[in-house]
Amino acid sequence: MTTPDELVAILDRILDGSRDEKDITLLRQYIETGNAQSQMQLAKNIVNANEIQGLHIGDRTYYGTDAETIKIALREVLPEIINSIGIKKSLQQNPQISRSSNFSPQTSSEDVVTTSNLKSLLTAPPTTTTFEFEVVTVDDQGRETKRFSKQAKYFVENLGDRVVLEMVSLPGGKFQMGAAKEKEASQEEERPQRIVNIKSFFMGKYPITQAQWKVVANLPKIKHHLEFEPSCFKGDKLPVERVSWFDAWEFCERLSRETKRNYRLPSEAEWEYACRAKTSTPFYFGKKITTHIANYCGQNEDINLVYRQQTTEVGNFPANSFGLYDMHGNVWEWCADYDHDDYHDAPSDGSAWLNDGNEEYRILRGGSWNSSPNLCRSASRFSENASVTDKEFGFRVVCS
């Protein structure tokens, strides 16, 4: 049997990125030695350790988000989880447990206490379907040059009250993050440019809407109170705004608990990768942004001036090539990362940058209805105190 020390060694290799297939095989063999809820959840958390915002094991919750905190937390519980295997009894010795249940013949009545909620803890991978959308490209003056149809996969999360959350499947890949000095309007904080590896994930097709917010805000509190209607501009299809980073984090936690999926805020790298959608221009539709294809402050433009002075309904403008809408303008979107002055020593694996920075300030991306064009660029960065609310601040969620 795999020992606690051996599991810790496996964990170390997984967290530092040096794991090989043998480590995953050993982990799977360990899972198969028993069906205890804590074992299954431990396995899930090890595999997704770098993506966890709140780690839940048994009756404990660890709110640290960095890899080292997760490692310490798992080390604390590894011995007791290993010991739990030794107290299993045969199902045959417990006739009160129905044979029609989903438990294996090795499951004991003691295991039923810990496994009866297993299904509520781990949800099967979502079934995706395909949707079609239009993509637009523009020339250097902002004039439309091409409009074409594309397809992407997504799944629909039913939130209740006839409200759904559409999550688009994004393929993994490499991309160049940041902007070069010669790029117009680029800033030093967007450098040095670097290649980042991104794993596949799901991202909300739109920023979280007020209808979605209300459903989740009505769910039981985890750590932080949520206002039912925080937004300045009212409308179920408008993005929720006037939400702090802590509000967005609480939303993700409640949503995760309700759906049994790992919803969270995107890392800054994931956000830029998703926004660019394999483009290298300042905007995903080209070098120029116009108010016909995004909602931002167009007051200073010399072409088709439109300044709406508020948010617009999500999905009102063309999507990018991944099938994501409103990545430029409408509302600034919170990311998980601490604020850093530039990209020196930033992670290259797409994970959130949660050390050596200003923890009190978190990253926002994308610009808003009140932003100038340069702030809406794919590479543009902004940060604010995590407790601040503003009628320009919203967010969208990702799912691992």
Side-chain angles (χ1 to χ4, degrees), residues 290-307:
T290 77
T291 51
H292 287 290
I293 50 179
N295 180 22
Y296 65 99
C297 180
Q299 286 179 311
N300 297 324
E301 292 184 14
D302 57 5
I303 176 175
N304 298 321
L305 295 182
V306 179
Y307 179 31

PDB file of all heavy atoms in Angstrom, residues 290-307:
ATOM      1  N   THR A 290     -14.007  49.857 -32.307  1.00  0.00           N
ATOM      2  CA  THR A 290     -15.033  50.856 -32.577  1.00  0.00           C
ATOM      3  C   THR A 290     -16.258  50.544 -31.726  1.00  0.00           C
ATOM      4  O   THR A 290     -16.437  49.415 -31.241  1.00  0.00           O
ATOM      5  CB  THR A 290     -15.463  50.869 -34.062  1.00  0.00           C
ATOM      6  OG1 THR A 290     -16.328  49.749 -34.317  1.00  0.00           O
ATOM      7  CG2 THR A 290     -14.274  50.827 -34.995  1.00  0.00           C
ATOM      8  N   THR A 291     -17.106  51.529 -31.567  1.00  0.00           N
ATOM      9  CA  THR A 291     -18.286  51.366 -30.713  1.00  0.00           C
ATOM     10  C   THR A 291     -19.375  50.539 -31.387  1.00  0.00           C
ATOM     11  O   THR A 291     -20.409  50.273 -30.773  1.00  0.00           O
ATOM     12  CB  THR A 291     -18.842  52.741 -30.311  1.00  0.00           C
ATOM     13  OG1 THR A 291     -19.018  53.542 -31.485  1.00  0.00           O
ATOM     14  CG2 THR A 291     -17.891  53.438 -29.356  1.00  0.00           C
ATOM     15  N   HIS A 292     -19.135  50.132 -32.622  1.00  0.00           N
ATOM     16  CA  HIS A 292     -20.080  49.213 -33.272  1.00  0.00           C
ATOM     17  C   HIS A 292     -19.827  47.769 -32.843  1.00  0.00           C
ATOM     18  O   HIS A 292     -20.704  46.913 -33.022  1.00  0.00           O
ATOM     19  CB  HIS A 292     -19.965  49.314 -34.799  1.00  0.00           C
ATOM     20  CG  HIS A 292     -20.535  50.573 -35.351  1.00  0.00           C
ATOM     21  ND1 HIS A 292     -21.883  50.838 -35.363  1.00  0.00           N
ATOM     22  CD2 HIS A 292     -19.924  51.660 -35.901  1.00  0.00           C
ATOM     23  CE1 HIS A 292     -22.100  52.024 -35.906  1.00  0.00           C
ATOM     24  NE2 HIS A 292     -20.924  52.538 -36.240  1.00  0.00           N
ATOM     25  N   ILE A 293     -18.653  47.487 -32.294  1.00  0.00           N
ATOM     26  CA  ILE A 293     -18.334  46.107 -31.937  1.00  0.00           C
ATOM     27  C   ILE A 293     -17.924  45.942 -30.476  1.00  0.00           C
ATOM     28  O   ILE A 293     -17.524  44.853 -30.057  1.00  0.00           O
ATOM     29  CB  ILE A 293     -17.220  45.543 -32.857  1.00  0.00           C
ATOM     30  CG1 ILE A 293     -16.030  46.502 -32.938  1.00  0.00           C
ATOM     31  CG2 ILE A 293     -17.786  45.235 -34.241  1.00  0.00           C
ATOM     32  CD1 ILE A 293     -14.892  46.005 -33.807  1.00  0.00           C
ATOM     33  N   ALA A 294     -18.033  47.007 -29.680  1.00  0.00           N
ATOM     34  CA  ALA A 294     -17.740  46.905 -28.248  1.00  0.00           C
ATOM     35  C   ALA A 294     -18.342  48.099 -27.525  1.00  0.00           C
ATOM     36  O   ALA A 294     -18.600  49.155 -28.129  1.00  0.00           O
ATOM     37  CB  ALA A 294     -16.230  46.855 -28.003  1.00  0.00           C
ATOM     38  N   ASN A 295     -18.553  47.957 -26.222  1.00  0.00           N
ATOM     39  CA  ASN A 295     -19.114  49.024 -25.392  1.00  0.00           C
ATOM     40  C   ASN A 295     -18.014  49.616 -24.518  1.00  0.00           C
ATOM     41  O   ASN A 295     -17.570  49.007 -23.550  1.00  0.00           O
ATOM     42  CB  ASN A 295     -20.246  48.480 -24.520  1.00  0.00           C
ATOM     43  CG  ASN A 295     -20.853  49.552 -23.636  1.00  0.00           C
ATOM     44  OD1 ASN A 295     -20.739  50.743 -23.924  1.00  0.00           O
ATOM     45  ND2 ASN A 295     -21.502  49.132 -22.558  1.00  0.00           N
ATOM     46  N   TYR A 296     -17.574  50.814 -24.871  1.00  0.00           N
ATOM     47  CA  TYR A 296     -16.524  51.500 -24.126  1.00  0.00           C
ATOM     48  C   TYR A 296     -16.720  52.989 -24.345  1.00  0.00           C
ATOM     49  O   TYR A 296     -17.674  53.423 -25.022  1.00  0.00           O
ATOM     50  CB  TYR A 296     -15.138  51.048 -24.597  1.00  0.00           C
ATOM     51  CG  TYR A 296     -14.843  51.431 -26.021  1.00  0.00           C
ATOM     52  CD1 TYR A 296     -14.074  52.543 -26.331  1.00  0.00           C
ATOM     53  CD2 TYR A 296     -15.397  50.699 -27.081  1.00  0.00           C
ATOM     54  CE1 TYR A 296     -13.842  52.910 -27.642  1.00  0.00           C
ATOM     55  CE2 TYR A 296     -15.176  51.060 -28.387  1.00  0.00           C
ATOM     56  CZ  TYR A 296     -14.400  52.163 -28.667  1.00  0.00           C
ATOM     57  OH  TYR A 296     -14.189  52.526 -29.973  1.00  0.00           O
ATOM     58  N   CYS A 297     -15.856  53.809 -23.809  1.00  0.00           N
ATOM     59  CA  CYS A 297     -15.977  55.256 -23.952  1.00  0.00           C
ATOM     60  C   CYS A 297     -15.404  55.687 -25.294  1.00  0.00           C
ATOM     61  O   CYS A 297     -14.181  55.768 -25.454  1.00  0.00           O
ATOM     62  CB  CYS A 297     -15.262  55.961 -22.804  1.00  0.00           C
ATOM     63  SG  CYS A 297     -15.357  57.754 -22.889  1.00  0.00           S
ATOM     64  N   GLY A 298     -16.270  55.975 -26.241  1.00  0.00           N
ATOM     65  CA  GLY A 298     -15.831  56.344 -27.580  1.00  0.00           C
ATOM     66  C   GLY A 298     -15.813  57.829 -27.825  1.00  0.00           C
ATOM     67  O   GLY A 298     -15.823  58.263 -28.968  1.00  0.00           O
ATOM     68  N   GLN A 299     -15.799  58.641 -26.783  1.00  0.00           N
ATOM     69  CA  GLN A 299     -15.896  60.090 -26.933  1.00  0.00           C
ATOM     70  C   GLN A 299     -14.795  60.701 -27.777  1.00  0.00           C
ATOM     71  O   GLN A 299     -15.024  61.661 -28.501  1.00  0.00           O
ATOM     72  CB  GLN A 299     -15.870  60.745 -25.541  1.00  0.00           C
ATOM     73  CG  GLN A 299     -17.160  60.568 -24.760  1.00  0.00           C
ATOM     74  CD  GLN A 299     -17.067  61.221 -23.388  1.00  0.00           C
ATOM     75  OE1 GLN A 299     -16.100  60.995 -22.671  1.00  0.00           O
ATOM     76  NE2 GLN A 299     -18.049  62.015 -23.049  1.00  0.00           N
ATOM     77  N   ASN A 300     -13.588  60.160 -27.670  1.00  0.00           N
ATOM     78  CA  ASN A 300     -12.450  60.803 -28.325  1.00  0.00           C
ATOM     79  C   ASN A 300     -12.142  60.234 -29.704  1.00  0.00           C
ATOM     80  O   ASN A 300     -11.115  60.541 -30.289  1.00  0.00           O
ATOM     81  CB  ASN A 300     -11.206  60.667 -27.434  1.00  0.00           C
ATOM     82  CG  ASN A 300     -11.402  61.384 -26.110  1.00  0.00           C
ATOM     83  OD1 ASN A 300     -12.023  62.430 -26.070  1.00  0.00           O
ATOM     84  ND2 ASN A 300     -10.891  60.803 -25.042  1.00  0.00           N
ATOM     85  N   GLU A 301     -13.020  59.393 -30.210  1.00  0.00           N
ATOM     86  CA  GLU A 301     -12.777  58.818 -31.524  1.00  0.00           C
ATOM     87  C   GLU A 301     -13.232  59.765 -32.626  1.00  0.00           C
ATOM     88  O   GLU A 301     -14.120  60.590 -32.440  1.00  0.00           O
ATOM     89  CB  GLU A 301     -13.523  57.490 -31.665  1.00  0.00           C
ATOM     90  CG  GLU A 301     -12.969  56.395 -30.775  1.00  0.00           C
ATOM     91  CD  GLU A 301     -13.691  55.082 -31.030  1.00  0.00           C
ATOM     92  OE1 GLU A 301     -14.385  54.967 -32.033  1.00  0.00           O
ATOM     93  OE2 GLU A 301     -13.534  54.180 -30.216  1.00  0.00           O
ATOM     94  N   ASP A 302     -12.628  59.634 -33.799  1.00  0.00           N
ATOM     95  CA  ASP A 302     -13.009  60.452 -34.941  1.00  0.00           C
ATOM     96  C   ASP A 302     -13.879  59.678 -35.917  1.00  0.00           C
ATOM     97  O   ASP A 302     -14.093  60.087 -37.041  1.00  0.00           O
ATOM     98  CB  ASP A 302     -11.754  60.975 -35.661  1.00  0.00           C
ATOM     99  CG  ASP A 302     -10.837  59.850 -36.108  1.00  0.00           C
ATOM    100  OD1 ASP A 302     -11.218  58.677 -35.941  1.00  0.00           O
ATOM    101  OD2 ASP A 302      -9.744  60.146 -36.620  1.00  0.00           O
ATOM    102  N   ILE A 303     -14.386  58.529 -35.473  1.00  0.00           N
ATOM    103  CA  ILE A 303     -15.214  57.693 -36.346  1.00  0.00           C
ATOM    104  C   ILE A 303     -16.409  57.164 -35.574  1.00  0.00           C
ATOM    105  O   ILE A 303     -16.253  56.539 -34.529  1.00  0.00           O
ATOM    106  CB  ILE A 303     -14.392  56.514 -36.933  1.00  0.00           C
ATOM    107  CG1 ILE A 303     -15.285  55.589 -37.751  1.00  0.00           C
ATOM    108  CG2 ILE A 303     -13.671  55.743 -35.859  1.00  0.00           C
ATOM    109  CD1 ILE A 303     -14.519  54.476 -38.455  1.00  0.00           C
ATOM    110  N   ASN A 304     -17.603  57.493 -36.030  1.00  0.00           N
ATOM    111  CA  ASN A 304     -18.848  56.947 -35.478  1.00  0.00           C
ATOM    112  C   ASN A 304     -18.907  57.052 -33.952  1.00  0.00           C
ATOM    113  O   ASN A 304     -18.942  56.053 -33.236  1.00  0.00           O
ATOM    114  CB  ASN A 304     -19.006  55.474 -35.887  1.00  0.00           C
ATOM    115  CG  ASN A 304     -19.092  55.319 -37.398  1.00  0.00           C
ATOM    116  OD1 ASN A 304     -19.716  56.143 -38.070  1.00  0.00           O
ATOM    117  ND2 ASN A 304     -18.464  54.288 -37.921  1.00  0.00           N
ATOM    118  N   LEU A 305     -18.893  58.248 -33.424  1.00  0.00           N
ATOM    119  CA  LEU A 305     -18.868  58.446 -31.988  1.00  0.00           C
ATOM    120  C   LEU A 305     -20.142  57.922 -31.330  1.00  0.00           C
ATOM    121  O   LEU A 305     -21.248  58.318 -31.680  1.00  0.00           O
ATOM    122  CB  LEU A 305     -18.709  59.933 -31.657  1.00  0.00           C
ATOM    123  CG  LEU A 305     -17.397  60.591 -32.090  1.00  0.00           C
ATOM    124  CD1 LEU A 305     -17.378  62.036 -31.647  1.00  0.00           C
ATOM    125  CD2 LEU A 305     -16.222  59.851 -31.492  1.00  0.00           C
ATOM    126  N   VAL A 306     -19.970  57.025 -30.378  1.00  0.00           N
ATOM    127  CA  VAL A 306     -21.073  56.533 -29.565  1.00  0.00           C
ATOM    128  C   VAL A 306     -20.540  56.334 -28.149  1.00  0.00           C
ATOM    129  O   VAL A 306     -19.565  55.604 -27.958  1.00  0.00           O
ATOM    130  CB  VAL A 306     -21.640  55.182 -30.083  1.00  0.00           C
ATOM    131  CG1 VAL A 306     -22.767  54.721 -29.161  1.00  0.00           C
ATOM    132  CG2 VAL A 306     -22.135  55.312 -31.506  1.00  0.00           C
ATOM    133  N   TYR A 307     -21.135  56.997 -27.184  1.00  0.00           N
ATOM    134  CA  TYR A 307     -20.760  56.788 -25.791  1.00  0.00           C
ATOM    135  C   TYR A 307     -22.038  56.465 -25.026  1.00  0.00           C
ATOM    136  O   TYR A 307     -22.843  57.350 -24.745  1.00  0.00           O
ATOM    137  CB  TYR A 307     -20.063  58.027 -25.233  1.00  0.00           C
ATOM    138  CG  TYR A 307     -19.659  57.918 -23.777  1.00  0.00           C
ATOM    139  CD1 TYR A 307     -19.314  56.692 -23.212  1.00  0.00           C
ATOM    140  CD2 TYR A 307     -19.618  59.051 -22.971  1.00  0.00           C
ATOM    141  CE1 TYR A 307     -18.940  56.586 -21.886  1.00  0.00           C
ATOM    142  CE2 TYR A 307     -19.235  58.959 -21.635  1.00  0.00           C
ATOM    143  CZ  TYR A 307     -18.905  57.739 -21.101  1.00  0.00           C
ATOM    144  OH  TYR A 307     -18.549  57.645 -19.780  1.00  0.00           O
TER     145      TYR A 307
END
